[in-house]
Short mmCIF file of all heavy atoms in Angstrom, two decimals:
data_model
loop_
_atom_site.label_atom_id
_atom_site.label_comp_id
_atom_site.label_asym_id
_atom_site.label_seq_id
_atom_site.Cartn_x
_atom_site.Cartn_y
_atom_site.Cartn_z
N LYS A 14 50.48 -8.63 44.79
CA LYS A 14 51.05 -8.73 46.14
C LYS A 14 50.70 -10.05 46.90
O LYS A 14 51.56 -10.67 47.50
CB LYS A 14 50.57 -7.55 47.01
CG LYS A 14 51.22 -7.43 48.34
CD LYS A 14 50.73 -6.21 49.08
CE LYS A 14 51.37 -6.14 50.53
NZ LYS A 14 50.94 -5.00 51.27
N MET A 15 49.40 -10.39 46.78
CA MET A 15 48.93 -11.68 47.41
C MET A 15 49.60 -12.88 46.76
O MET A 15 49.82 -13.93 47.41
CB MET A 15 47.47 -11.79 47.28
CG MET A 15 46.72 -10.77 48.20
SD MET A 15 44.93 -10.95 48.18
CE MET A 15 44.47 -10.27 46.58
N SER A 16 49.94 -12.75 45.42
CA SER A 16 50.54 -13.93 44.81
C SER A 16 51.92 -14.28 45.26
O SER A 16 52.44 -15.35 45.00
CB SER A 16 50.53 -13.64 43.22
OG SER A 16 51.40 -12.59 42.95
N ASN A 17 52.58 -13.28 45.90
CA ASN A 17 53.87 -13.64 46.53
C ASN A 17 53.78 -14.72 47.50
O ASN A 17 54.60 -15.60 47.56
CB ASN A 17 54.45 -12.36 47.19
CG ASN A 17 54.80 -11.22 46.21
OD1 ASN A 17 55.20 -11.51 45.10
ND2 ASN A 17 54.65 -10.01 46.59
N TYR A 18 52.66 -14.72 48.27
CA TYR A 18 52.51 -15.76 49.23
C TYR A 18 51.86 -17.01 48.48
O TYR A 18 52.20 -18.19 48.86
CB TYR A 18 51.44 -15.38 50.33
CG TYR A 18 51.82 -14.14 51.04
CD1 TYR A 18 51.27 -12.89 50.67
CD2 TYR A 18 52.79 -14.11 52.04
CE1 TYR A 18 51.68 -11.70 51.38
CE2 TYR A 18 53.20 -12.96 52.69
CZ TYR A 18 52.56 -11.78 52.39
OH TYR A 18 52.94 -10.58 53.02
N GLY A 19 51.13 -16.77 47.44
CA GLY A 19 50.53 -17.89 46.67
C GLY A 19 51.67 -18.77 46.02
O GLY A 19 51.51 -20.01 46.01
N ILE A 20 52.73 -18.14 45.55
CA ILE A 20 53.80 -18.92 44.94
C ILE A 20 54.47 -19.75 45.92
O ILE A 20 54.83 -20.96 45.58
CB ILE A 20 54.76 -17.93 44.27
CG1 ILE A 20 54.28 -17.30 42.95
CG2 ILE A 20 56.12 -18.56 43.98
CD1 ILE A 20 54.15 -18.33 41.78
N VAL A 21 54.63 -19.26 47.08
CA VAL A 21 55.30 -20.05 48.18
C VAL A 21 54.47 -21.28 48.55
O VAL A 21 54.95 -22.41 48.63
CB VAL A 21 55.52 -19.23 49.44
CG1 VAL A 21 56.10 -20.03 50.59
CG2 VAL A 21 56.54 -18.06 49.13
N LEU A 22 53.13 -21.04 48.74
CA LEU A 22 52.20 -22.14 48.96
C LEU A 22 52.25 -23.20 47.85
O LEU A 22 52.25 -24.47 48.12
CB LEU A 22 50.81 -21.66 49.14
CG LEU A 22 49.74 -22.62 49.38
CD1 LEU A 22 50.00 -23.48 50.65
CD2 LEU A 22 48.35 -22.04 49.51
N SER A 23 52.26 -22.67 46.61
CA SER A 23 52.24 -23.62 45.46
C SER A 23 53.61 -24.46 45.43
O SER A 23 53.52 -25.70 45.14
CB SER A 23 52.16 -22.80 44.10
OG SER A 23 50.89 -22.20 44.03
N LEU A 24 54.69 -23.83 45.74
CA LEU A 24 55.90 -24.53 45.80
C LEU A 24 55.93 -25.71 46.85
O LEU A 24 56.42 -26.77 46.55
CB LEU A 24 57.12 -23.60 46.04
CG LEU A 24 57.54 -22.75 44.87
CD1 LEU A 24 58.62 -21.76 45.29
CD2 LEU A 24 58.10 -23.61 43.78
N ILE A 25 55.35 -25.34 48.02
CA ILE A 25 55.25 -26.34 49.04
C ILE A 25 54.43 -27.53 48.62
O ILE A 25 54.78 -28.72 48.77
CB ILE A 25 54.72 -25.75 50.36
CG1 ILE A 25 55.70 -24.69 50.87
CG2 ILE A 25 54.45 -26.77 51.39
CD1 ILE A 25 55.12 -23.87 52.08
N LEU A 26 53.20 -27.25 48.10
CA LEU A 26 52.30 -28.25 47.68
C LEU A 26 52.93 -29.10 46.51
O LEU A 26 52.72 -30.31 46.43
CB LEU A 26 51.00 -27.74 47.28
CG LEU A 26 50.10 -27.08 48.38
CD1 LEU A 26 48.82 -26.43 47.75
CD2 LEU A 26 49.72 -28.07 49.39
N PHE A 27 53.62 -28.41 45.67
CA PHE A 27 54.25 -29.13 44.46
C PHE A 27 55.29 -30.01 44.90
O PHE A 27 55.37 -31.17 44.46
CB PHE A 27 54.77 -28.05 43.49
CG PHE A 27 55.27 -28.58 42.18
CD1 PHE A 27 54.32 -28.72 41.14
CD2 PHE A 27 56.58 -28.92 41.94
CE1 PHE A 27 54.76 -29.28 39.93
CE2 PHE A 27 56.96 -29.40 40.70
CZ PHE A 27 56.08 -29.60 39.68
N VAL A 28 56.20 -29.58 45.82
CA VAL A 28 57.28 -30.41 46.32
C VAL A 28 56.71 -31.65 47.11
O VAL A 28 57.18 -32.72 46.95
CB VAL A 28 58.23 -29.63 47.15
CG1 VAL A 28 59.26 -30.53 47.91
CG2 VAL A 28 58.99 -28.61 46.34
N VAL A 29 55.72 -31.40 47.96
CA VAL A 29 55.10 -32.45 48.70
C VAL A 29 54.50 -33.54 47.78
O VAL A 29 54.63 -34.75 47.93
CB VAL A 29 53.99 -31.89 49.66
CG1 VAL A 29 53.19 -33.08 50.26
CG2 VAL A 29 54.64 -31.05 50.76
N HIS A 170 51.49 -27.61 37.40
CA HIS A 170 51.27 -27.44 38.82
C HIS A 170 49.94 -28.05 39.22
O HIS A 170 49.88 -28.73 40.20
CB HIS A 170 51.37 -25.89 39.09
CG HIS A 170 50.68 -25.42 40.37
ND1 HIS A 170 49.31 -25.21 40.41
CD2 HIS A 170 51.20 -25.16 41.56
CE1 HIS A 170 49.03 -24.85 41.66
NE2 HIS A 170 50.11 -24.82 42.38
N ILE A 174 49.70 -31.57 41.65
CA ILE A 174 49.04 -31.43 42.95
C ILE A 174 47.78 -32.33 43.06
O ILE A 174 47.58 -33.01 44.01
CB ILE A 174 48.69 -30.01 43.29
CG1 ILE A 174 49.99 -29.21 43.49
CG2 ILE A 174 47.79 -29.93 44.59
CD1 ILE A 174 49.76 -27.72 43.73
N TYR A 277 42.75 -21.29 41.56
CA TYR A 277 43.80 -20.63 42.36
C TYR A 277 45.07 -20.32 41.48
O TYR A 277 45.59 -19.20 41.57
CB TYR A 277 44.16 -21.56 43.55
CG TYR A 277 45.44 -21.29 44.25
CD1 TYR A 277 45.65 -20.30 45.17
CD2 TYR A 277 46.58 -22.09 43.93
CE1 TYR A 277 46.87 -20.10 45.76
CE2 TYR A 277 47.77 -21.90 44.50
CZ TYR A 277 47.94 -20.92 45.41
OH TYR A 277 49.16 -20.65 45.98
N PHE A 281 46.77 -16.73 40.97
CA PHE A 281 47.95 -16.46 41.74
C PHE A 281 49.25 -16.99 41.18
O PHE A 281 50.32 -16.55 41.61
CB PHE A 281 47.72 -16.98 43.14
CG PHE A 281 46.68 -16.29 43.88
CD1 PHE A 281 45.45 -16.96 44.25
CD2 PHE A 281 46.73 -14.98 44.30
CE1 PHE A 281 44.47 -16.37 44.89
CE2 PHE A 281 45.73 -14.29 45.04
CZ PHE A 281 44.61 -15.00 45.30
N VAL A 282 49.24 -17.97 40.32
CA VAL A 282 50.35 -18.64 39.73
C VAL A 282 50.74 -18.17 38.35
O VAL A 282 51.84 -17.60 38.09
CB VAL A 282 50.29 -20.13 39.83
CG1 VAL A 282 51.51 -20.79 39.25
CG2 VAL A 282 50.06 -20.62 41.29
N LYS A 285 51.48 -14.43 38.04
CA LYS A 285 52.76 -14.06 38.72
C LYS A 285 53.97 -14.61 37.87
O LYS A 285 55.02 -13.92 37.89
CB LYS A 285 52.74 -14.72 40.12
CG LYS A 285 54.04 -14.45 40.94
CD LYS A 285 54.09 -13.02 41.21
CE LYS A 285 55.32 -12.64 42.10
NZ LYS A 285 55.52 -11.17 42.44
N LEU A 286 53.83 -15.72 37.21
CA LEU A 286 54.93 -16.30 36.43
C LEU A 286 55.18 -15.35 35.28
O LEU A 286 56.39 -15.19 34.89
CB LEU A 286 54.51 -17.63 35.92
CG LEU A 286 54.61 -18.76 36.97
CD1 LEU A 286 54.13 -20.04 36.44
CD2 LEU A 286 55.98 -18.98 37.55
N LEU A 289 57.45 -12.85 36.66
CA LEU A 289 58.85 -13.49 36.98
C LEU A 289 59.59 -13.66 35.71
O LEU A 289 60.83 -13.68 35.72
CB LEU A 289 58.61 -14.69 37.77
CG LEU A 289 58.05 -14.55 39.16
CD1 LEU A 289 57.88 -15.93 39.86
CD2 LEU A 289 58.93 -13.64 40.05
#
Side-chain angles (χ1 to χ4, degrees):
K14 183 178 180 180
M15 290 185 283
S16 66
N17 294 328
Y18 305 101
I20 286 289
V21 174
L22 176 61
S23 292
L24 284 174
I25 293 172
L26 294 175
F27 190 84
V28 171
V29 170
H170 160 275
I174 293 177
Y277 157 84
F281 296 109
V282 177
K285 182 64 176 180
L286 287 175
L289 294 177

